[in-house]
Amino acid sequence: MISITEKTLQDLQFPTVLETISTICNTDIGKQKALEITPFRDKETLIQALLQTSEYVSSFQNNNAIPNHGFDAISHEIKFLAIEDSFLEVGSFRKIATLSSTVNFLLTYFKKFDDYYPNLNSRASQVELTKEIISSVDAIVDKYGEIKDNASPDLLNTRRDINVVRGKVNQSFGVSMTQYNSLGYLDDIKESFVQNRRVLAVLAMYRRKVKGSILGSSKTGSIAYIEPETTLKYSRELSNLEYEETEEINRILKQLSNDIRPFLPLLIQYQDFLSDIDVVAAKAKYANRINGIMPAITDNRRLYFRDAYHPILYLNNKQKQEITHPQTIELQQENRIIVISGPNAGGKTISLKTVGLLQLMLQSGMLIPVHERSETFLFDRILTDIGDNQSIENHLSTYSYRLKNMNYFLKKCNKKTLFLIDEFGTGSDPELGGALAEIFLEEFYHREAFGIITTHYSNLKLLANELPFATNANMMFDENSLEPLYKLALGQAGSSFTFEVALKNGIPFSLINRAKKKIEVGKVRFDKTIATLQKERSKMEKTSQMLKEEETKAREEGRKMETINIKIKQKLESYQELYDSNQKTIYVGQKIEDIANRYFNNKSKKDLIADFLKIIEIENSKRKKATPKEAKAIVEKKKEVVAEITVHVDEIRKEKKEKKLKPVIEKPKAILRLGDRVRMVDGKAVGTLDNIEKNKATVNYGAFLSKVNLDKLELVEAIKK
């Protein structure tokens, strides 16, 4: 039997979650029910509630959105119907009919879409569908919430008579008003209503001249309100008829109340069903906000929350547009207690609260923000000791209160318990309090309870290291900036970084050294060793991350290269086939060329035809007869290869054309002078320019002279001035 105390709910901020869900509900009853949510006492009901919420979440994504479940509460009507001979007002029946109609629609809907919502339909099938309530109300009350004229024969006759008499009242009143207005007895407003009766607005000085009954006067007394004598008779008749109408309506409402009264248990069930659906819908909308899912619930003793978020922190950070860091925590039979250590403000308490709150939410039928591969089992008790629990009312110190709490833990703790203790052992002398905390931890361990504790005590870190089924953990810190990384690392205790943090915050180094001398050398060395190990672990984490990234990049590059290689092979095969085909064509072409030469020489058509037939028979003997489908495939393949090559050839031609079209920028030709060293543009021999006559130049090559056009010479070396 699951039993979780109010203290645990408060410690883990469970009411804050309920308040958020309550605000999402559509109905007042749903809002109240949401605030009263507590963990389920049996597994079967819990699983049913979780599946209902999960199904409602799925309705947000599929095309079969669940219809509106809103309703006006009928709690007042239910109370009155429970009283014998009481009757409801006409408006109440309209609310009852609308409620019944909404329920009927939902029941029909869930039955129709049982494949999508089997668990919601299972809940709906507990409610009876009936149209009698709606038909009974619709026979008497119209859609505007008024009694119909034909609700009874007597009411129909009475209302007809009322309409006739009202016509007579208005007619007689109109005659009187015309008469007295022509005499100048009436005020400018002429008429008014007093006691729901039509009256003349008579000037006070003429009130005695108007026959009728005075029903009142204005505040200043300048106007008297008089019902004309001719109208009085009809007014009395109208009053009697209206009284008869009221009596008949009351009789009809009593009868209708008696007709509906047998359905009272069903109406209670209807309201309960719709308010339950309202709460399920609110849970589903909340799950959508926090990305909640339903993890696997197992009978094995294992709690595994992967990438778990604290829902309250997640929503607050989301509003502030800040990052929330997920945690991955695992507890199992071979690793059932985790001791988290490390500096303050590193996220130890949040990690501890995340596990407790998510387990609490799950056992209350809510989806939780974890990875889909997470799993857990159900605890009978969740015991918590979180925060400064100084009891002012009982005049207990923090330590006394915590000892009292530990005594309760010892009474209730067993293998179906999850205990969560923040700052374990604090509040007393470190040596003595730490020793007592160590004994408590050993006791919880031997009872096979699952638990998470946070501490700064070295002896508890050592104990966790010594116990086979317990483990140390630390909240990781950046080794350089000493800023928290909000990441839980299992397997190693955390240093409190006491002196490092003090130095970072400006405490003089000399004072820190003096403080170190005040305590045992062994403790300083132990804490320093842990701090060094944490720094090394942090470096390893970074290196591991870098290696993973490099590995991912290398795999991507490998996949790209493999794809390129396949494409290249395919192209080579295609080109080879085309090359072979072309070679064959060239070979046949050469044969035809030889035949053509022979025919040119001997002009023998007989030999020409014989040679042609010989070539064709030789070629046909090499061919394998292909089916039409295979032949078509070969042609298509050739077309593809030719098309691909044509594209490449076109590109090459385009490039060549562009090169040709580009203007060739020629270097300005040097002006040649006598004595310059020159050579022919297309030559290698160098000579001296001896003479220039018009466009002719004489070049001295030493052994001989040569006359050439000046344009065909280029400068090698100018004469030195």
Side-chain angles (χ1 to χ4, degrees):
M1 183 66 74
I2 296 170
S3 174
I4 296 171
T5 64
E6 182 64 29
K7 178 187 176 302
T8 295
L9 301 179
Q10 293 292 337
D11 280 353
L12 295 172
Q13 297 175 279
F14 188 64
T16 306
V17 174
L18 298 187
E19 284 168 15
T20 307
I21 293 173
S22 177
T23 58
I24 302 171
C25 289
N26 292 337
T27 65
D28 292 335
I29 297 175
K31 289 178 190 295
Q32 189 56 41
K33 275 190 174 182
L35 293 173
E36 294 167 0
I37 292 173
T38 52
F40 286 89
R41 291 183 172 273
D42 65 283
K43 184 178 178 180
E44 189 178 340
T45 315
L46 168 62
I47 299 295
Q48 187 78 3
L50 285 168
L51 290 171
Q52 285 173 14
T53 307
S54 189
E55 285 173 6
Y56 209 110
V57 170
S58 71
S59 75
F60 300 143
Q61 280 83 42
N62 65 38
N63 295 324
N64 302 306
I66 294 172
N68 175 46
H69 58 266
F71 67 97
D72 289 327
I74 58 166
S75 304
H76 169 77
E77 286 75 10
I78 287 169
K79 284 179 185 176
F80 262 79
L81 283 174
I83 302 168
E84 200 65 36
D85 293 331
S86 64
F87 68 92
L88 301 176
E89 293 298 322
V90 64
S92 295
F93 287 109
R94 194 72 268 160
K95 282 164 64 177
I96 287 171
T98 304
L99 176 84
S100 182
S101 177
T102 303
V103 171
N104 283 351
F105 190 76
L106 274 174
L107 297 183
T108 307
Y109 178 85
F110 285 132
K111 189 175 182 180
K112 181 180 178 182
F113 292 102
D114 180 65
D115 290 345
Y116 288 92
Y117 311 116
N119 292 280
L120 286 167
N121 186 38
S122 175
R123 171 68 182 92
S125 63
Q126 298 168 12
V127 182
E128 182 190 343
L129 188 150
T130 178
K131 293 183 180 179
E132 287 185 45
I133 296 171
I134 300 167
S135 58
S136 296
V137 173
D138 285 349
I140 305 298
V141 185
D142 64 19
K143 61 182 179 180
Y144 304 109
E146 299 292 335
I147 298 290
K148 291 180 177 180
D149 291 345
N150 61 353
S152 76
D154 289 345
L155 183 64
L156 183 61
N157 293 330
T158 303
R159 284 185 172 174
R160 280 175 182 168
D161 292 343
I162 285 171
N163 288 333
V164 171
V165 173
R166 274 184 183 150
K168 291 178 180 178
V169 168
N170 291 334
Q171 186 182 3
S172 61
F173 185 86
V175 171
S176 297
M177 186 169 67
T178 304
Q179 179 190 347
Y180 291 120
N181 188 45
S182 63
L183 294 171
Y185 294 168
L186 303 183
D187 186 62
D188 291 341
I189 63 171
K190 295 182 183 178
E191 65 172 303
S192 185
F193 271 89
V194 175
Q195 298 171 19
N196 203 28
R197 290 159 82 172
R198 201 174 176 191
V199 292
L200 296 170
V202 181
L203 294 170
M205 65 182 79
Y206 301 118
R207 68 178 180 274
R208 294 184 184 278
K209 293 186 177 183
V210 176
K211 292 180 181 181
S213 176
I214 298 175
L215 298 182
S217 62
S218 64
K219 289 181 181 178
T220 59
S222 62
I223 300 172
Y225 297 119
I226 301 172
E227 185 176 15
E229 189 177 45
T230 54
T231 310
L232 276 171
K233 181 179 68 170
Y234 298 122
S235 293
R236 290 193 192 101
E237 189 180 348
L238 183 63
S239 295
N240 290 335
L241 288 170
E242 285 175 345
Y243 176 76
E244 287 176 16
E245 181 193 30
T246 304
E247 286 295 299
E248 181 61 16
I249 286 172
N250 287 343
R251 188 194 67 76
I252 291 167
L253 291 177
K254 281 180 183 177
Q255 183 59 49
L256 184 57
S257 297
N258 289 333
D259 291 344
I260 297 298
R261 191 169 277 115
F263 294 102
L264 179 59
L266 188 60
L267 290 173
I268 294 169
Q269 202 178 19
Y270 279 3
Q271 182 162 269
D272 196 43
F273 169 69
L274 287 182
S275 56
D276 282 351
I277 294 295
D278 193 24
V279 174
V280 171
K283 284 182 184 177
K285 289 169 188 172
Y286 182 71
N288 237 15
R289 290 185 189 180
I290 61 172
N291 302 318
I293 62 146
M294 179 179 169
I297 295 177
T298 174
D299 291 328
N300 300 325
R301 283 170 53 77
R302 184 185 186 224
L303 180 151
Y304 175 56
F305 287 156
R306 177 177 164 186
D307 296 338
Y309 289 89
H310 191 286
I312 300 170
L313 182 66
Y314 175 78
L315 290 178
N316 287 341
N317 285 348
K318 192 176 179 182
Q319 198 172 8
K320 297 175 190 173
Q321 295 185 334
E322 293 178 2
I323 296 170
T324 308
H325 301 274
Q327 301 298 339
T328 298
I329 296 176
E330 182 178 11
L331 293 170
Q332 53 185 336
Q333 186 64 25
E334 292 75 27
N335 181 36
R336 53 182 178 263
I337 293 176
I338 296 175
V339 177
I340 306 176
S341 48
N344 291 328
K348 298 195 302 293
T349 305
I350 285 293
S351 296
L352 176 130
K353 281 186 173 183
T354 299
V355 174
L357 180 57
L358 294 188
Q359 186 68 31
L360 206 53
M361 285 171 63
L362 188 69
Q363 293 195 201
S364 302
M366 300 175 203
L367 307 185
I368 57 174
V370 293
H371 190 277
E372 59 187 8
R373 290 188 182 172
S374 301
E375 68 174 58
T376 187
F377 70 106
L378 304 179
F379 293 96
D380 283 356
R381 284 191 181 84
I382 299 175
L383 304 174
T384 56
D385 189 357
I386 298 171
D388 183 9
N389 291 308
Q390 188 166 5
S391 177
I392 297 169
E393 308 85 31
N394 299 323
H395 308 289
L396 295 173
S397 68
T398 301
Y399 190 59
S400 298
Y401 185 88
R402 299 196 85 162
L403 283 177
K404 192 175 180 182
N405 213 21
M406 284 304 104
N407 188 35
Y408 178 76
F409 276 36
L410 291 170
K411 286 178 183 176
K412 302 293 183 183
C413 203
N414 58 36
K415 65 179 182 180
K416 292 186 177 179
T417 302
L418 173 67
F419 66 88
L420 306 164
I421 307 173
D422 192 29
E423 302 294 349
F424 194 26
T426 56
S428 179
D429 176 87
E431 294 290 337
L432 305 178
L436 196 55
E438 197 173 328
I439 297 301
F440 287 148
L441 185 57
E442 284 179 347
E443 188 64 26
F444 299 150
Y445 176 84
H446 292 306
R447 292 188 186 189
E448 297 187 17
F450 279 31
I452 301 173
I453 69 168
T454 68
T455 188
H456 289 289
Y457 283 10
S458 299
N459 64 316
L460 295 178
K461 300 177 195 177
L462 288 168
L463 179 62
N465 200 44
E466 291 165 2
L467 294 171
F469 302 145
T471 186
N472 276 301
N474 69 84
M475 300 307 297
M476 295 182 72
F477 267 65
D478 187 281
E479 69 272 14
N480 299 318
S481 64
L482 290 178
E483 292 295 325
L485 299 174
Y486 301 105
K487 186 176 181 182
L488 184 69
L490 295 173
Q492 183 181 309
S495 166
S496 296
F497 287 101
T498 308
F499 297 126
E500 289 87 347
V501 173
L503 189 64
K504 183 176 180 288
N505 284 283
I507 305 300
F509 189 72
S510 57
L511 294 181
I512 291 171
N513 270 342
R514 281 169 61 189
K516 285 182 179 179
K517 289 174 185 175
K518 293 280 184 184
I519 60 174
E520 294 174 24
V521 177
K523 282 190 178 179
V524 175
R525 288 175 64 193
F526 179 70
D527 200 71
K528 188 176 180 182
T529 302
I530 291 175
T532 305
L533 286 169
Q534 273 191 259
K535 289 178 182 178
E536 290 299 322
R537 188 187 185 97
S538 182
K539 284 179 184 176
M540 284 175 67
E541 286 276 339
K542 286 182 180 177
T543 306
S544 175
Q545 187 63 32
M546 285 170 65
L547 287 170
K548 281 180 183 176
E549 288 174 4
E550 291 296 325
E551 185 183 0
T552 305
K553 285 180 184 176
R555 281 179 182 171
E556 285 177 3
E557 290 297 325
R559 279 197 292 270
K560 284 180 185 176
M561 291 300 294
E562 194 174 337
T563 306
I564 291 166
N565 280 337
I566 291 167
K567 286 182 179 178
I568 289 169
K569 281 180 182 178
Q570 288 172 347
K571 284 186 179 181
L572 283 173
E573 286 172 4
S574 300
Y575 291 159
Q576 183 63 47
E577 286 176 11
L578 187 65
Y579 175 78
D580 292 344
S581 176
N582 287 344
Q583 287 295 108
K584 185 179 176 183
T585 305
I586 290 165
Y587 169 75
V588 173
Q590 285 174 346
K591 288 277 186 183
I592 291 168
E593 180 68 21
D594 292 342
I595 293 168
N597 284 333
R598 282 201 297 274
Y599 177 71
F600 181 78
N601 293 324
N602 60 23
K603 302 295 181 179
S604 173
K605 289 182 180 180
K606 187 179 179 182
D607 291 344
L608 176 67
I609 292 165
D611 288 339
F612 264 120
L613 286 172
K614 189 177 180 182
I615 290 169
I616 290 164
E617 283 173 1
I618 291 167
E619 290 303 316
N620 282 344
S621 67
K622 296 176 185 177
R623 287 192 175 95
K624 181 185 175 184
K625 193 163 186 180
T627 62
K629 192 175 180 182
E630 288 173 342
K632 189 178 178 183
I634 292 164
V635 170
E636 289 297 324
K637 191 172 182 182
K638 282 186 178 180
K639 281 181 181 176
E640 286 175 12
V641 174
V642 170
E644 190 175 349
I645 291 172
T646 305
V647 169
H648 290 303
V649 169
D650 287 345
E651 286 176 0
I652 293 164
R653 283 175 179 164
K654 193 176 177 183
E655 284 177 14
K656 286 183 177 180
K657 193 174 180 182
E658 285 174 357
K659 284 178 183 177
K660 284 179 182 178
L661 291 173
K662 281 181 183 176
V664 179
I665 301 167
E666 293 183 359
K667 293 180 182 178
K669 205 161 186 179
I671 298 168
L672 300 178
R673 294 184 180 86
L674 295 175
D676 288 346
R677 300 281 286 166
V678 295
R679 71 178 165 208
M680 297 283 284
V681 173
D682 53 354
K684 292 182 181 179
V686 178
T688 305
L689 189 61
D690 280 0
N691 187 27
I692 298 173
E693 290 180 5
K694 295 184 180 179
N695 289 330
K696 293 285 183 180
T698 304
V699 181
N700 186 348
Y701 289 101
F704 62 91
L705 296 173
S706 175
K707 278 192 176 185
V708 293
N709 286 334
L710 194 62
D711 295 338
K712 292 184 179 180
L713 293 176
E714 64 179 4
L715 181 67
V716 175
E717 185 182 355
I719 189 170
K720 292 179 181 177
K721 293 179 181 178

